[in-house]
């Protein structure tokens, strides 16, 4: 199956090794893509585990899992990577009411040791 992150690669060779903890995402963009795929699959555990530990108290694994389940994830578009730890993207999905949605965000990531973590995101219009 093609990877939900829209890299053009097969899931087995793209985001799956990150989801199964065989590898760590090597860049903030790779982590962003793997997190999008984790919403599409869905995999709430991966989403919470790739959130910066100090920020996890603001998130809930069950809510992340549910958000992935109730939406139909259509595609991910990387808009820009303005720095090593920032990724601007658009996530296209159909919400639970059947409405097409686009989430445009500038996300901030932090590397700790050999792992990247999601820190926060600013929604853009």
């Amino acid at each position: 199956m093609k990877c939900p992150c829209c890299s053009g690669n097969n899931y087995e060779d793209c985001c799956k090794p990150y989801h199964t903890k065989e590898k760590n995402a090597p860049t903030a963009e790779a982590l962003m893509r793997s997190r999008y795929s984790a919403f599409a699959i869905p995999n709430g555990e991966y989403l919470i585990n790739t959130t910066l530990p100090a920020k996890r108290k603001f998130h809930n694994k069950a809510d992340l899992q549910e958000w992935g389940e109730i939406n139909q994830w259509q595609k991910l578009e990387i808009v820009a990577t303005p720095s090593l730890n920032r990724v601007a993207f658009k996530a296209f999905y159909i919400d639970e009411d059947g409405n097409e949605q686009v989430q445009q965000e500038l996300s901030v990531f932090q590397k700790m040791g050999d792992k990247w973590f999601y820190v926060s995101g600013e929604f853009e219009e």
Side-chain angles (χ1 to χ4, degrees), residues 84-104:
L84 287 175
N85 71 326
R86 295 162 50 112
V87 179
F89 69 92
K90 292 180 183 178
F92 298 81
Y93 63 97
I94 298 172
D95 68 20
E96 61 187 324
D97 297 323
N99 299 311
E100 292 183 0
Q101 303 288 339
V102 179
Q103 177 178 329
Q104 189 167 344

PDB file of all heavy atoms in Angstrom, residues 84-104:
ATOM      1  N   LEU A  84      15.331  23.695  10.335  1.00  0.00           N
ATOM      2  CA  LEU A  84      15.469  22.267  10.629  1.00  0.00           C
ATOM      3  C   LEU A  84      14.369  21.737  11.529  1.00  0.00           C
ATOM      4  O   LEU A  84      14.044  20.559  11.483  1.00  0.00           O
ATOM      5  CB  LEU A  84      16.825  21.992  11.294  1.00  0.00           C
ATOM      6  CG  LEU A  84      18.049  22.079  10.396  1.00  0.00           C
ATOM      7  CD1 LEU A  84      19.319  21.899  11.214  1.00  0.00           C
ATOM      8  CD2 LEU A  84      17.982  21.051   9.276  1.00  0.00           C
ATOM      9  N   ASN A  85      13.794  22.613  12.376  1.00  0.00           N
ATOM     10  CA  ASN A  85      12.812  22.142  13.349  1.00  0.00           C
ATOM     11  C   ASN A  85      11.402  22.681  13.116  1.00  0.00           C
ATOM     12  O   ASN A  85      10.557  22.591  13.999  1.00  0.00           O
ATOM     13  CB  ASN A  85      13.266  22.479  14.775  1.00  0.00           C
ATOM     14  CG  ASN A  85      13.175  23.957  15.082  1.00  0.00           C
ATOM     15  OD1 ASN A  85      13.390  24.795  14.204  1.00  0.00           O
ATOM     16  ND2 ASN A  85      12.864  24.282  16.318  1.00  0.00           N
ATOM     17  N   ARG A  86      11.135  23.219  11.937  1.00  0.00           N
ATOM     18  CA  ARG A  86       9.796  23.751  11.629  1.00  0.00           C
ATOM     19  C   ARG A  86       9.322  23.229  10.275  1.00  0.00           C
ATOM     20  O   ARG A  86      10.086  23.221   9.317  1.00  0.00           O
ATOM     21  CB  ARG A  86       9.820  25.271  11.629  1.00  0.00           C
ATOM     22  CG  ARG A  86      10.127  25.840  13.016  1.00  0.00           C
ATOM     23  CD  ARG A  86      10.580  27.285  12.980  1.00  0.00           C
ATOM     24  NE  ARG A  86       9.714  28.136  12.219  1.00  0.00           N
ATOM     25  CZ  ARG A  86       8.940  29.102  12.730  1.00  0.00           C
ATOM     26  NH1 ARG A  86       8.946  29.320  14.020  1.00  0.00           N
ATOM     27  NH2 ARG A  86       8.191  29.855  11.953  1.00  0.00           N
ATOM     28  N   VAL A  87       8.065  22.813  10.247  1.00  0.00           N
ATOM     29  CA  VAL A  87       7.478  22.285   9.013  1.00  0.00           C
ATOM     30  C   VAL A  87       6.098  22.901   8.836  1.00  0.00           C
ATOM     31  O   VAL A  87       5.246  22.805   9.720  1.00  0.00           O
ATOM     32  CB  VAL A  87       7.354  20.742   9.058  1.00  0.00           C
ATOM     33  CG1 VAL A  87       6.727  20.216   7.773  1.00  0.00           C
ATOM     34  CG2 VAL A  87       8.713  20.090   9.294  1.00  0.00           C
ATOM     35  N   ALA A  88       5.887  23.528   7.696  1.00  0.00           N
ATOM     36  CA  ALA A  88       4.568  24.058   7.344  1.00  0.00           C
ATOM     37  C   ALA A  88       3.900  23.031   6.434  1.00  0.00           C
ATOM     38  O   ALA A  88       4.521  22.525   5.494  1.00  0.00           O
ATOM     39  CB  ALA A  88       4.697  25.399   6.632  1.00  0.00           C
ATOM     40  N   PHE A  89       2.642  22.722   6.730  1.00  0.00           N
ATOM     41  CA  PHE A  89       1.952  21.705   5.950  1.00  0.00           C
ATOM     42  C   PHE A  89       0.464  21.998   5.838  1.00  0.00           C
ATOM     43  O   PHE A  89      -0.081  22.818   6.568  1.00  0.00           O
ATOM     44  CB  PHE A  89       2.137  20.314   6.586  1.00  0.00           C
ATOM     45  CG  PHE A  89       1.424  20.151   7.894  1.00  0.00           C
ATOM     46  CD1 PHE A  89       0.127  19.639   7.944  1.00  0.00           C
ATOM     47  CD2 PHE A  89       2.033  20.494   9.089  1.00  0.00           C
ATOM     48  CE1 PHE A  89      -0.544  19.488   9.150  1.00  0.00           C
ATOM     49  CE2 PHE A  89       1.375  20.350  10.305  1.00  0.00           C
ATOM     50  CZ  PHE A  89       0.084  19.844  10.338  1.00  0.00           C
ATOM     51  N   LYS A  90      -0.162  21.272   4.914  1.00  0.00           N
ATOM     52  CA  LYS A  90      -1.609  21.251   4.778  1.00  0.00           C
ATOM     53  C   LYS A  90      -2.038  19.791   4.843  1.00  0.00           C
ATOM     54  O   LYS A  90      -1.507  18.953   4.104  1.00  0.00           O
ATOM     55  CB  LYS A  90      -2.069  21.835   3.445  1.00  0.00           C
ATOM     56  CG  LYS A  90      -1.836  23.315   3.294  1.00  0.00           C
ATOM     57  CD  LYS A  90      -2.332  23.769   1.924  1.00  0.00           C
ATOM     58  CE  LYS A  90      -2.047  25.242   1.699  1.00  0.00           C
ATOM     59  NZ  LYS A  90      -2.474  25.672   0.360  1.00  0.00           N
ATOM     60  N   ALA A  91      -2.970  19.494   5.741  1.00  0.00           N
ATOM     61  CA  ALA A  91      -3.546  18.153   5.844  1.00  0.00           C
ATOM     62  C   ALA A  91      -4.981  18.225   5.353  1.00  0.00           C
ATOM     63  O   ALA A  91      -5.784  18.999   5.884  1.00  0.00           O
ATOM     64  CB  ALA A  91      -3.490  17.665   7.289  1.00  0.00           C
ATOM     65  N   PHE A  92      -5.285  17.443   4.339  1.00  0.00           N
ATOM     66  CA  PHE A  92      -6.617  17.422   3.740  1.00  0.00           C
ATOM     67  C   PHE A  92      -7.362  16.206   4.261  1.00  0.00           C
ATOM     68  O   PHE A  92      -6.822  15.089   4.239  1.00  0.00           O
ATOM     69  CB  PHE A  92      -6.503  17.353   2.217  1.00  0.00           C
ATOM     70  CG  PHE A  92      -5.820  18.543   1.608  1.00  0.00           C
ATOM     71  CD1 PHE A  92      -4.434  18.649   1.582  1.00  0.00           C
ATOM     72  CD2 PHE A  92      -6.569  19.569   1.049  1.00  0.00           C
ATOM     73  CE1 PHE A  92      -3.798  19.744   1.012  1.00  0.00           C
ATOM     74  CE2 PHE A  92      -5.943  20.674   0.476  1.00  0.00           C
ATOM     75  CZ  PHE A  92      -4.564  20.765   0.461  1.00  0.00           C
ATOM     76  N   TYR A  93      -8.600  16.428   4.716  1.00  0.00           N
ATOM     77  CA  TYR A  93      -9.393  15.318   5.233  1.00  0.00           C
ATOM     78  C   TYR A  93     -10.876  15.629   5.105  1.00  0.00           C
ATOM     79  O   TYR A  93     -11.275  16.770   4.867  1.00  0.00           O
ATOM     80  CB  TYR A  93      -9.025  15.009   6.683  1.00  0.00           C
ATOM     81  CG  TYR A  93      -9.305  16.115   7.671  1.00  0.00           C
ATOM     82  CD1 TYR A  93     -10.481  16.118   8.421  1.00  0.00           C
ATOM     83  CD2 TYR A  93      -8.403  17.150   7.877  1.00  0.00           C
ATOM     84  CE1 TYR A  93     -10.747  17.131   9.344  1.00  0.00           C
ATOM     85  CE2 TYR A  93      -8.653  18.160   8.787  1.00  0.00           C
ATOM     86  CZ  TYR A  93      -9.832  18.139   9.517  1.00  0.00           C
ATOM     87  OH  TYR A  93     -10.085  19.142  10.425  1.00  0.00           O
ATOM     88  N   ILE A  94     -11.675  14.580   5.241  1.00  0.00           N
ATOM     89  CA  ILE A  94     -13.126  14.718   5.271  1.00  0.00           C
ATOM     90  C   ILE A  94     -13.552  14.437   6.697  1.00  0.00           C
ATOM     91  O   ILE A  94     -13.218  13.373   7.250  1.00  0.00           O
ATOM     92  CB  ILE A  94     -13.798  13.756   4.274  1.00  0.00           C
ATOM     93  CG1 ILE A  94     -13.343  14.101   2.850  1.00  0.00           C
ATOM     94  CG2 ILE A  94     -15.320  13.822   4.397  1.00  0.00           C
ATOM     95  CD1 ILE A  94     -13.772  13.116   1.798  1.00  0.00           C
ATOM     96  N   ASP A  95     -14.251  15.402   7.305  1.00  0.00           N
ATOM     97  CA  ASP A  95     -14.630  15.249   8.709  1.00  0.00           C
ATOM     98  C   ASP A  95     -15.806  14.292   8.873  1.00  0.00           C
ATOM     99  O   ASP A  95     -16.369  13.792   7.896  1.00  0.00           O
ATOM    100  CB  ASP A  95     -14.886  16.602   9.374  1.00  0.00           C
ATOM    101  CG  ASP A  95     -16.111  17.328   8.868  1.00  0.00           C
ATOM    102  OD1 ASP A  95     -17.018  16.704   8.284  1.00  0.00           O
ATOM    103  OD2 ASP A  95     -16.188  18.564   9.076  1.00  0.00           O
ATOM    104  N   GLU A  96     -16.181  14.045  10.126  1.00  0.00           N
ATOM    105  CA  GLU A  96     -17.222  13.058  10.418  1.00  0.00           C
ATOM    106  C   GLU A  96     -18.584  13.439   9.852  1.00  0.00           C
ATOM    107  O   GLU A  96     -19.461  12.583   9.709  1.00  0.00           O
ATOM    108  CB  GLU A  96     -17.321  12.825  11.930  1.00  0.00           C
ATOM    109  CG  GLU A  96     -17.699  14.060  12.726  1.00  0.00           C
ATOM    110  CD  GLU A  96     -17.622  13.817  14.221  1.00  0.00           C
ATOM    111  OE1 GLU A  96     -17.944  12.704  14.697  1.00  0.00           O
ATOM    112  OE2 GLU A  96     -17.221  14.754  14.936  1.00  0.00           O
ATOM    113  N   ASP A  97     -18.775  14.702   9.480  1.00  0.00           N
ATOM    114  CA  ASP A  97     -20.029  15.145   8.870  1.00  0.00           C
ATOM    115  C   ASP A  97     -19.974  15.127   7.347  1.00  0.00           C
ATOM    116  O   ASP A  97     -20.910  15.568   6.679  1.00  0.00           O
ATOM    117  CB  ASP A  97     -20.382  16.560   9.359  1.00  0.00           C
ATOM    118  CG  ASP A  97     -20.625  16.602  10.853  1.00  0.00           C
ATOM    119  OD1 ASP A  97     -21.209  15.632  11.392  1.00  0.00           O
ATOM    120  OD2 ASP A  97     -20.220  17.597  11.495  1.00  0.00           O
ATOM    121  N   GLY A  98     -18.850  14.658   6.792  1.00  0.00           N
ATOM    122  CA  GLY A  98     -18.705  14.571   5.344  1.00  0.00           C
ATOM    123  C   GLY A  98     -18.217  15.840   4.680  1.00  0.00           C
ATOM    124  O   GLY A  98     -18.244  15.945   3.452  1.00  0.00           O
ATOM    125  N   ASN A  99     -17.745  16.795   5.473  1.00  0.00           N
ATOM    126  CA  ASN A  99     -17.251  18.063   4.936  1.00  0.00           C
ATOM    127  C   ASN A  99     -15.752  17.995   4.667  1.00  0.00           C
ATOM    128  O   ASN A  99     -14.999  17.494   5.498  1.00  0.00           O
ATOM    129  CB  ASN A  99     -17.528  19.209   5.921  1.00  0.00           C
ATOM    130  CG  ASN A  99     -19.003  19.377   6.183  1.00  0.00           C
ATOM    131  OD1 ASN A  99     -19.811  19.443   5.266  1.00  0.00           O
ATOM    132  ND2 ASN A  99     -19.378  19.428   7.457  1.00  0.00           N
ATOM    133  N   GLU A 100     -15.338  18.522   3.516  1.00  0.00           N
ATOM    134  CA  GLU A 100     -13.915  18.592   3.200  1.00  0.00           C
ATOM    135  C   GLU A 100     -13.259  19.663   4.064  1.00  0.00           C
ATOM    136  O   GLU A 100     -13.792  20.763   4.201  1.00  0.00           O
ATOM    137  CB  GLU A 100     -13.710  18.905   1.718  1.00  0.00           C
ATOM    138  CG  GLU A 100     -14.152  17.773   0.817  1.00  0.00           C
ATOM    139  CD  GLU A 100     -13.875  18.044  -0.652  1.00  0.00           C
ATOM    140  OE1 GLU A 100     -13.328  19.116  -0.989  1.00  0.00           O
ATOM    141  OE2 GLU A 100     -14.208  17.166  -1.458  1.00  0.00           O
ATOM    142  N   GLN A 101     -12.126  19.327   4.644  1.00  0.00           N
ATOM    143  CA  GLN A 101     -11.404  20.233   5.535  1.00  0.00           C
ATOM    144  C   GLN A 101      -9.936  20.291   5.134  1.00  0.00           C
ATOM    145  O   GLN A 101      -9.401  19.333   4.573  1.00  0.00           O
ATOM    146  CB  GLN A 101     -11.492  19.753   6.994  1.00  0.00           C
ATOM    147  CG  GLN A 101     -12.889  19.593   7.533  1.00  0.00           C
ATOM    148  CD  GLN A 101     -13.576  20.926   7.779  1.00  0.00           C
ATOM    149  OE1 GLN A 101     -12.933  21.961   7.911  1.00  0.00           O
ATOM    150  NE2 GLN A 101     -14.898  20.896   7.834  1.00  0.00           N
ATOM    151  N   VAL A 102      -9.306  21.416   5.443  1.00  0.00           N
ATOM    152  CA  VAL A 102      -7.868  21.561   5.265  1.00  0.00           C
ATOM    153  C   VAL A 102      -7.317  22.157   6.557  1.00  0.00           C
ATOM    154  O   VAL A 102      -7.748  23.223   6.983  1.00  0.00           O
ATOM    155  CB  VAL A 102      -7.498  22.490   4.084  1.00  0.00           C
ATOM    156  CG1 VAL A 102      -5.982  22.617   3.971  1.00  0.00           C
ATOM    157  CG2 VAL A 102      -8.103  21.990   2.794  1.00  0.00           C
ATOM    158  N   GLN A 103      -6.408  21.443   7.168  1.00  0.00           N
ATOM    159  CA  GLN A 103      -5.722  21.969   8.345  1.00  0.00           C
ATOM    160  C   GLN A 103      -4.363  22.457   7.880  1.00  0.00           C
ATOM    161  O   GLN A 103      -3.541  21.675   7.410  1.00  0.00           O
ATOM    162  CB  GLN A 103      -5.552  20.884   9.414  1.00  0.00           C
ATOM    163  CG  GLN A 103      -4.786  21.375  10.634  1.00  0.00           C
ATOM    164  CD  GLN A 103      -4.676  20.295  11.692  1.00  0.00           C
ATOM    165  OE1 GLN A 103      -5.547  19.454  11.840  1.00  0.00           O
ATOM    166  NE2 GLN A 103      -3.589  20.328  12.441  1.00  0.00           N
ATOM    167  N   GLN A 104      -4.151  23.761   7.985  1.00  0.00           N
ATOM    168  CA  GLN A 104      -2.875  24.349   7.597  1.00  0.00           C
ATOM    169  C   GLN A 104      -2.176  24.764   8.873  1.00  0.00           C
ATOM    170  O   GLN A 104      -2.745  25.506   9.688  1.00  0.00           O
ATOM    171  CB  GLN A 104      -3.082  25.543   6.672  1.00  0.00           C
ATOM    172  CG  GLN A 104      -1.801  26.039   6.076  1.00  0.00           C
ATOM    173  CD  GLN A 104      -2.026  27.009   4.921  1.00  0.00           C
ATOM    174  OE1 GLN A 104      -3.105  27.105   4.366  1.00  0.00           O
ATOM    175  NE2 GLN A 104      -0.970  27.713   4.562  1.00  0.00           N
TER     176      GLN A 104
END
